[in-house]
Amino acid sequence: MLWWLLGAALLARAAGFYLPGLAPVSFCEPGNEQVPDCKPTIELFVNRLDSVESVLPYEYTAFDFCSEEKMKRPSENLGQVLFGERIEPSPYKFEFKKPAVCQSVCNRTYDTSKASDKNKLEFLKKGMLLNYQHHWIVDNMPVTWCYDVEDEQKFCNPGFPIGCYVTEAGRPKDACIVNPNFNEKDAFYIFNHVDITIHYHIVEHEQLGARLVAAKIEPKSFQSPDCSGGPKFLKNKQTGVFDIKYTYSVKFVEDKSIRWASRWDYILESMPHTNIQWFSIMNSLVIVLFLSGMVAMIMLRTLHKDIARYNQMDSVEDAQEEFGWKLVHGDVFRPPRKGMLLSVFLGSGTQIFIMTFITLFFACLGFLSPANRGALMTCAVVLWVLLGTPAGYVAARLYKSFGGEKWKTNVLLTAFLCPGVVFADFFVMNLILWGEGSSAAMPFGTLVAILALWFCISVPLTFLGAYFGFKKAGIEHPVRTNQIPRQVPEQSFYTKPLPGIIMGGILPFGCIFIQLFFILNSIWSHQMYYMFGFLFLVFIILVITCSEATILLCYFHLCAEDYHWQWRSFLTSGFTAVYFLIYAIHYFFSKLQITGLASTILYFGYTMIMALIFFLFTGSIGFFACFWFVTKIYSVVKVD
Ligand SMILES: *[C@@H]1O[C@H](CO)[C@@H](O)[C@H](O)[C@H]1NC(C)=O
């Protein structure tokens, strides 16, 4: 199954990264009659602005840039809205193959004696201080700003700053570093001019016109509207009338080497990640091999010996000398305390597990590439909603086998507890975003739509699953449970529950933390994430390590005659989420320069959601692995 999936994924990659929904658009010069359905005008769209120093994204129109009100904004999918993407039309428009030099787009004048002008200017200054970045889109492709980094490499950033700041001490910040002319102290330099270069590729053998393969931008700052003179700056404490004139130049370059299908590659390749990815995979594989070796050894040697010895003893006296894990056969399937909560967690965990698996599989096939904006998130949300049935089924089935009788509570908790916590957290975050006027705030309509998806589709599906789960006969256990619970003997330090749980999470976390770094980067530093092949591999490695680490610890605990394995196996691998949380806190302080209370609350709010989801996900893997293991070993030995 696994190989088949990997094979399919590789095949899809080889066949081209982009599959459905993204047909190429042909462009041609105005008045060209030869090519049917070609577009003479290239439109530029603008996305929301974001910053590494702040979690809050803002819509383009939140700033007072040149905007276009007359045109309709393109429709967006759920994933885009959830991620705070807001794509809007812009007044920047070009005729294909018609270069332009220093075209005026709009002029803005601010009079600081007027309150509204002053506010706009202050907001712009704040944007420059926090290094907010524009994200422009041409032909569904990011407009990139390529610049040299060390060792003669080029880094292509799918965004560019609105301006930069030189401190009072004369130290240039962010983008001001590159230009030695930016030397005015305590001043903001505004990039009011852009040089755009559009690369196109002519499809010769067919009458298809030209296709755009890259759009690059170079932000510049000019004092005068004819694009000359020194850079345009604004002293921090400047008052009076101040104007900004926005201009652009555009040129067209034919590029024979880049094909349309691989037009994203230059952006992705400029991110030097691949080596460390392989390193991380190797690192994880070593852990997997180590754990698999341990598990195999236990299975083959110890267990085999145990089972052989147990099965030889048939007299009653021999049975008195039972030892190790067999001793607790009358208790291993004793229902755990708080079985209700455990079964609800496992139901939700199963739902998340299947959702992640399918989403990653589609992502691997290239369906959810970055070109398909918001598709990943949409796919995940829709799958989660549709997977209510397995959640209800698993929760009900396990609850029943734990001997529970309050089935109504069980169904309701499965449908509402974990999603409710996530939604409540999300809602609070949204209130903060609303308060800050950020574009990531969900419109009220979307919020209602999400509630509708949850209540009208997910909840009924959960009820349906629970109905089948309760109707089915309970799970058959290989051994009977004694009437009177056994006393658990005094445990040594290593077999006490807490050390085991803390140790259990280390290895799975060790397998994923490098990948985690890239994921956090893509979420918080707005770098593009595209390595879904790696991610799928890491997902599988995570599942294997979680299961194996839990099985190992489960075995040791059973040998120590401690039979409370249900919660412990869940918590053992679920503890990976605690490491995730610690890592996220470390990431916050070491990698991000987030300032402001709202941003900090948002960061931790979103991190809590991720940690909770991750906890349910890893915890369920651990439980089911251990469940399988326990059922297996006790069904092999003969029990009176
Ligand atoms: C902006 O001002 C310049 C001169 O200062 C003028 O040439 C240009 O046409 C103006 N642009 C617009 C869009 O009004």
Side-chain angles (χ1 to χ4, degrees):
M1 170 76 168
L2 188 66
W3 288 116
W4 182 81
L5 286 179
L6 281 178
L10 283 176
L11 211 73
R13 268 218 65 126
F17 199 65
Y18 314 104
L19 292 166
L22 295 162
V25 180
S26 299
F27 290 90
C28 55
E29 287 152 275
N32 187 330
E33 304 293 315
Q34 292 171 344
V35 183
D37 303 327
C38 72
K39 284 178 32 179
T41 315
I42 299 173
E43 283 171 77
L44 193 145
F45 291 95
V46 287
N47 205 340
R48 49 115 167 81
L49 288 94
D50 58 29
S51 154
V52 187
E53 294 165 43
S54 165
V55 173
L56 306 165
Y58 286 106
E59 279 180 58
Y60 182 81
T61 45
F63 292 91
D64 190 35
F65 298 128
C66 303
S67 58
E68 177 79 301
E69 274 110 38
K70 286 181 289 271
M71 270 172 59
K72 231 178 79 208
R73 48 199 281 177
S75 62
E76 284 163 342
N77 59 39
L78 183 63
Q80 284 175 299
V81 176
L82 287 181
F83 260 132
E85 285 203 6
R86 297 290 182 278
I87 299 177
E88 285 165 83
S90 82
Y92 296 85
K93 280 189 192 60
F94 327 113
E95 298 288 302
F96 181 65
K97 262 178 138 176
K98 200 165 145 223
V101 179
C102 201
Q103 289 282 320
S104 171
V105 191
C106 74
N107 297 329
R108 293 275 188 259
T109 311
Y110 304 95
D111 185 351
T112 48
S113 59
K114 277 192 231 152
S116 70
D117 282 6
K118 194 168 182 329
N119 286 347
K120 283 179 190 165
L121 210 53
E122 285 304 319
F123 195 60
L124 192 64
K125 277 195 212 165
K126 188 181 138 198
M128 287 190 270
L129 190 63
L130 291 176
N131 196 20
Y132 268 85
Q133 309 255 328
H134 277 293
H135 294 282
W136 289 5
I137 299 161
V138 161
D139 189 28
N140 193 31
M141 179 174 59
V143 178
T144 58
W145 175 38
C146 296
Y147 51 88
D148 292 317
V149 286
E150 63 241 55
D151 30 291
E152 302 190 0
Q153 281 207 323
K154 252 199 176 345
F155 176 70
C156 289
N157 183 0
F160 64 95
I162 53 182
C164 58
Y165 177 62
V166 180
T167 60
E168 274 173 78
R171 194 176 59 84
K173 283 183 71 190
D174 307 314
C176 281
I177 296 167
V178 284
N179 201 327
N181 286 349
F182 292 6
N183 47 18
E184 194 73 31
K185 285 176 187 163
D186 195 20
F188 293 96
Y189 284 87
I190 301 149
F191 292 125
N192 58 346
H193 174 87
V194 285
D195 274 341
I196 300 173
T197 312
I198 291 181
H199 298 250
Y200 62 91
H201 176 92
I202 293 187
V203 190
E204 265 152 14
H205 53 278
E206 287 157 78
Q207 290 289 308
L208 287 174
R211 281 161 181 184
L212 307 189
V213 290
K216 296 187 181 167
I217 206 163
E218 201 170 336
K220 288 187 173 156
S221 181
F222 287 120
Q223 193 91 50
S224 113
D226 56 8
C227 304
S228 61
K232 181 86 181 164
F233 63 85
L234 166 67
K235 294 289 280 181
N236 194 8
K237 304 209 172 66
Q238 191 167 334
T239 49
V241 179
F242 182 78
D243 61 355
I244 307 175
K245 298 190 161 69
Y246 291 95
T247 51
Y248 75 87
S249 301
V250 63
K251 63 175 193 267
F252 292 86
V253 177
E254 182 171 359
D255 195 327
K256 290 201 165 72
S257 60
I258 309 177
R259 277 170 45 245
W260 186 85
S262 51
R263 63 182 188 158
W264 282 66
D265 291 1
Y266 83 101
I267 308 174
L268 307 181
E269 273 160 17
S270 88
M271 302 182 181
H273 286 164
T274 324
N275 285 339
I276 195 150
Q277 288 290 328
W278 282 117
F279 168 75
S280 103
I281 295 280
M282 292 315 285
N283 163 45
S284 317
L285 280 178
V286 169
I287 296 180
V288 169
L289 279 180
F290 166 74
L291 275 177
S292 304
M294 290 281 276
V295 171
M297 208 172 72
I298 287 188
M299 289 293 211
L300 290 177
R301 269 196 51 220
T302 327
L303 269 181
H304 201 259
K305 220 158 65 192
D306 285 356
I307 289 168
R309 192 154 53 179
Y310 287 145
N311 284 345
Q312 271 165 12
M313 303 185 296
D314 28 33
S315 67
V316 181
E317 300 96 81
D318 283 348
Q320 299 292 314
E321 292 164 31
E322 277 180 357
F323 59 93
W325 53 266
K326 198 185 171 195
L327 207 50
V328 291
H329 68 79
D331 292 282
V332 274
F333 292 106
R334 188 176 298 289
R337 270 165 276 175
K338 304 251 187 318
M340 171 74 88
L341 196 61
L342 184 60
S343 62
V344 168
F345 279 178
L346 288 168
S348 295
T350 312
Q351 189 175 10
I352 293 165
F353 181 87
I354 304 175
M355 174 194 90
T356 318
F357 180 81
I358 301 179
T359 309
L360 281 182
F361 180 63
F362 279 133
C364 258
L365 292 181
F367 285 94
L368 311 175
S369 74
N372 230 339
R373 288 167 187 283
L376 184 76
M377 193 69 177
T378 312
C379 176
V381 171
V382 168
L383 276 174
W384 182 85
V385 166
L386 294 181
L387 287 169
T389 312
Y393 179 80
V394 168
R397 197 84 209 282
L398 285 170
Y399 183 63
K400 192 174 173 186
S401 82
F402 292 158
E405 262 141 33
K406 288 186 243 159
W407 61 270
K408 275 185 202 148
T409 320
N410 183 263
V411 181
L412 289 175
L413 278 179
T414 311
F416 293 110
L417 181 68
C418 298
V421 170
V422 171
F423 187 82
D425 191 336
F426 206 71
F427 186 73
V428 173
M429 301 293 109
N430 213 40
L431 283 184
I432 296 176
L433 287 170
W434 260 327
E436 297 281 326
S438 164
S439 82
M442 267 191 292
F444 187 69
T446 314
L447 216 58
V448 172
I450 289 181
L451 279 179
L453 277 180
W454 179 18
F455 282 89
C456 303
I457 303 180
S458 179
V459 169
L461 284 176
T462 311
F463 286 0
L464 187 75
Y467 170 76
F468 286 120
F470 280 116
K471 219 176 74 171
K472 216 166 155 146
I475 299 167
E476 282 279 335
H477 296 314
V479 281
R480 263 183 298 113
T481 301
N482 292 343
Q483 210 87 64
I484 301 153
R486 243 184 98 87
Q487 185 98 36
V488 176
E490 183 71 22
Q491 297 290 313
S492 73
F493 175 76
Y494 295 104
T495 50
K496 280 212 175 79
L498 200 60
I501 287 170
I502 292 175
M503 280 188 297
I506 292 180
L507 290 176
F509 182 73
C511 288
I512 58 161
F513 81 95
I514 293 180
Q515 199 67 28
L516 209 56
F517 175 75
F518 290 110
I519 296 175
L520 289 180
N521 257 357
S522 82
I523 297 175
W524 301 115
S525 304
H526 314 289
Q527 290 181 5
M528 224 173 284
Y529 191 88
Y530 57 93
M531 296 165 288
F532 292 108
F534 278 117
L535 192 59
F536 193 64
L537 217 59
V538 170
F539 169 84
I540 290 163
I541 289 173
L542 178 68
V543 173
I544 297 174
T545 37
C546 275
S547 326
E548 291 184 339
T550 316
I551 288 178
L552 267 182
L553 286 167
C554 190
Y555 174 75
F556 292 141
H557 286 126
L558 288 177
C559 285
E561 296 168 31
D562 182 352
Y563 51 84
H564 299 298
W565 60 270
Q566 289 100 334
W567 267 109
R568 200 167 37 212
S569 59
F570 188 87
L571 294 175
T572 302
S573 70
F575 208 77
T576 317
V578 176
Y579 289 112
F580 165 76
L581 205 61
I582 296 171
Y583 186 71
I585 294 172
H586 164 77
Y587 181 85
F588 180 80
F589 287 111
S590 68
K591 283 290 293 181
L592 296 177
Q593 307 111 33
I594 288 178
T595 46
L597 185 65
S599 284
T600 310
I601 296 176
L602 283 172
Y603 179 84
F604 286 104
Y606 286 127
T607 303
M608 288 313 282
I609 294 184
M610 288 192 270
L612 174 69
I613 291 176
F614 198 58
F615 172 70
L616 294 173
F617 171 77
T618 46
S620 305
I621 296 173
F623 176 87
F624 286 114
C626 198
F627 186 54
W628 170 83
F629 175 74
V630 171
T631 312
K632 202 90 194 156
I633 59 173
Y634 286 95
S635 56
V636 176
V637 296
K638 272 193 292 181
V639 182
D640 19 80

